[in-house]
Amino acid sequence: MTDAEWTVVRPLLPVPGWLRGRGGQPEAYCHRQILDAIGYLVDNGIKWRAMPADFPPWDRVYAFFRRWRDHALIQEFHDRLRGQVREKAGRDAEPTAGVIDSQSIKADAVVGADSRGFDGGKLVNGRKRHVVVDTLGLLLGVMVTSADVGDRAAAQVLLARVAAAHHRLELVWADGGYTGSLVEHCLATFALVLAIVKRSDDQKGFVVLPKRWIVERCFAHLMQSRRLVRDVERRTSSAEAMVYWSMTLLMTRRLARPRPSRA
């Protein structure tokens, strides 16, 4: 993390309880060192025990990761960064539209049979990431399931979480796999319009479809993090936290990037 990125990130970090007078033991390592260590792990796909000696001990880094995962602090930090990125782009902090899609990923041998399955459409034995992004391609919500879970069944749960967290969300684009009763359910339950973007039967070859390319670009960003190329997490909550950490790396770079000068 560069000095410019740390200057942007530091005010957005959740404040520990001991600094608020709530008791507890002060942390022994600087947050910048811990964030760099987790970012290194996510970006390079190493094992926890293979943490380089330049960083704090791996067990202390993992304890920090686990605490932020279990107390939803990584989501809080991620959402603050997303609001800053949207405001820098001239948008409101809260989105009104989004895009939903899923991605099937092969699972490592450490993934148990209770959280893995076989996706017959993609011929993938592993897990599936269901994500909702805004019109800038920034993450609004993620849910990791076994690969045999249908898109409509997972979207019903994920859209409920996203709609509860983002009250201004009115429209979500999706592909043909989300057709059926889910459209009426979203409108009646969440007051959310689920617009299906279908591919024309006359089109041949690769064609960029409106709005759907936004979520595909988000998946491409996630694949830049080697830790996410294959699912190696024992728990689905850890897999979801890794997605949030990967997106924080992307957003901190965007925030630290100098604004282009206007003529």
Side-chain angles (χ1 to χ4, degrees):
M1 187 183 302
T2 62
D3 292 338
E5 291 176 359
W6 176 244
T7 302
V8 174
V9 165
R10 186 175 183 179
L12 304 177
L13 291 175
V15 180
W18 63 273
L19 284 178
R20 299 180 178 178
R22 298 181 180 178
Q25 184 177 359
E27 296 169 321
Y29 297 96
C30 174
H31 277 181
R32 182 173 181 176
Q33 293 179 318
I34 298 293
L35 294 180
D36 282 341
I38 297 178
Y40 185 88
L41 179 138
V42 174
D43 190 39
N44 293 275
I46 65 172
K47 298 180 180 179
W48 284 105
R49 293 179 180 269
M51 188 71 64
D54 298 333
F55 298 116
W58 75 269
D59 55 343
R60 294 297 87 205
V61 179
Y62 178 72
F64 184 93
F65 169 84
R66 182 178 56 192
R67 183 169 66 251
W68 275 41
R69 177 199 65 192
D70 296 341
H71 296 279
L73 295 179
I74 178 58
Q75 289 94 322
E76 179 183 347
F77 177 49
H78 169 273
D79 292 346
R80 292 177 182 178
L81 285 173
R82 186 190 61 240
Q84 293 287 331
V85 173
R86 288 183 57 86
E87 291 177 353
K88 183 179 179 180
R91 307 292 186 90
D92 292 333
E94 284 297 324
T96 58
V99 192
I100 187 173
D101 204 353
S102 64
Q103 179 190 40
S104 296
I105 297 294
K106 293 182 180 180
D108 194 72
V110 299
V111 177
D114 57 338
S115 62
R116 70 187 300 158
F118 183 75
D119 185 356
K122 302 294 181 60
L123 300 180
V124 172
N125 184 358
R127 286 174 175 168
K128 184 180 291 187
R129 299 180 187 135
H130 309 267
V131 302
V132 179
V133 301
D134 62 4
T135 53
L136 296 180
L138 304 178
L139 190 66
L140 298 181
V142 59
M143 184 173 68
V144 176
T145 64
S146 58
D148 55 354
V149 175
D151 290 346
R152 286 189 291 267
Q156 186 171 345
V157 179
L158 179 58
L159 288 176
R161 299 178 184 175
V162 174
H166 306 279
H167 302 287
R168 296 188 58 190
L169 196 64
E170 301 175 355
L171 174 64
V172 174
W173 289 282
D175 59 18
Y178 295 90
T179 56
S181 60
L182 180 63
V183 178
E184 291 78 10
H185 175 78
C186 291
L187 186 61
T189 307
F190 316 127
L192 192 65
V193 177
L194 189 64
I196 306 299
V197 181
K198 294 184 178 180
R199 176 187 173 94
S200 175
D201 297 335
D202 300 332
Q203 294 177 346
K204 296 182 180 180
F206 175 77
V207 178
V208 178
L209 298 178
K211 305 303 180 182
R212 283 172 53 179
W213 65 269
I214 299 175
V215 67
E216 297 297 340
R217 184 181 61 178
C218 177
F219 287 140
H221 287 315
L222 295 179
M223 289 296 99
Q224 297 297 320
S225 300
R226 294 186 178 182
R227 184 82 180 191
L228 300 179
V229 174
R230 179 183 294 265
D231 199 323
V232 296
E233 312 302 330
R234 296 180 183 272
R235 301 174 54 177
T236 56
S237 59
S238 296
E240 295 170 359
M242 288 295 178
V243 175
Y244 281 112
W245 278 108
S246 178
M247 292 301 295
T248 58
L249 298 178
L250 172 67
M251 290 187 293
T252 52
R253 288 193 295 266
R254 288 188 180 181
L255 287 174
R257 186 184 306 162
R259 296 185 179 182
S261 59
R262 296 183 179 180

